[in-house]
Amino acid sequence: MELTVAQMAEGVRRANHAMVDLEQALNAADAKLGDGDTGSMLVRVIGGMAAAAPETATSVSEAFGKLARAGMSATGSSLGTLFAGAMLLLAKQTKDRPVDWADLSALVGAARDGMMARGGAKLGDKTVLDMMDALAAALEGKTDAAQAGKAGIEAAERTLEAYRDRPCKMGRAKFFSEKSVGLDDPGMLAFAGLVRALATAK
């Protein structure tokens, strides 16, 4: 089943709406391991993406491009910049071709690899990359929104649980490695919250 621009725009709307509830929870989680602004940064990035009107794009590739430019304009933070850079990579990967839901696993994997190359983190460091890796695996063989949503939520919850008692090895949180054991990485927590928002209609 083909992924449409309208579905992407609805996903951005849901993510933007979810940040109303997620912002302070993410800031509080980040304050334990970093500078406490993950939620506020994502409010700027995702709010900018929603304001970019992705629904006016004429293709999935153009919609990813709009989201990338809006994200880059909204933040100078490392996570936000990596997030926007991933959108730009996806714009290039989907140019001049239709995109099916079955393509999402490979696209999430490509975004993961792009962020890994640019940011320097690796799998197992307890970052958002581990969440993306789990999502890419979970999306394999999923051919519509319902299948992808169910698999995504299960993967996000399973990955948070698997990494909670491991130490953070990247970013500001690595300086609090011992303290990070038993806590969720704020980037992983944000990604899980957004996956739930994308998969759950409101």
Side-chain angles (χ1 to χ4, degrees), residues 3-9 11-12 45 48-49 52-72 83-101 103-108 110-111 132 198:
L3 175 67
T4 67
V5 168
Q7 288 172 320
M8 290 181 64
V12 174
V45 171
M49 290 180 171
E55 67 276 7
T56 62
T58 58
S59 69
V60 167
S61 174
E62 184 181 334
F64 276 129
K66 280 178 171 281
L67 298 179
R69 290 189 292 276
M72 289 175 181
F83 187 46
M87 293 289 173
L88 184 61
L89 183 149
L90 294 180
K92 295 177 181 175
Q93 294 239 340
T94 56
K95 189 171 183 178
D96 298 328
R97 71 177 179 93
V99 180
D100 291 333
W101 282 89
D103 296 327
L104 283 187
S105 173
L107 291 174
V108 172
M132 295 175 72
L198 292 174

Side-chain angles (χ1 to χ4, degrees), residues 20-80:
V20 174
D21 294 327
L22 288 173
E23 179 181 6
Q24 293 310 317
L26 293 175
N27 283 346
D30 190 29
K32 296 175 182 177
L33 299 171
D35 47 15
D37 68 348
T38 293
S40 298
M41 179 274 294
L42 284 175
V43 164
R44 293 195 303 274
V45 171
I46 297 174
M49 290 180 171
E55 67 276 7
T56 62
T58 58
S59 69
V60 167
S61 174
E62 184 181 334
F64 276 129
K66 280 178 171 281
L67 298 179
R69 290 189 292 276
M72 289 175 181
S73 297
T75 182
S77 78
S78 56
L79 180 59

Side-chain angles (χ1 to χ4, degrees), residues 126-175:
K126 192 177 176 178
T127 71
V128 69
L129 294 174
D130 295 301
M131 191 66 78
M132 295 175 72
D133 186 60
L135 181 62
L139 290 176
E140 286 186 10
K142 305 303 183 290
T143 57
D144 61 34
Q147 292 177 9
K150 183 175 185 295
I153 290 174
E154 290 173 353
E157 292 176 350
R158 186 170 59 247
T159 306
L160 278 179
E161 181 72 23
Y163 277 86
R164 186 166 295 131
D165 289 335
R166 301 185 192 185
C168 290
K169 300 178 181 177
M170 193 65 189
R172 193 182 297 266
K174 72 181 180 184
F175 299 114

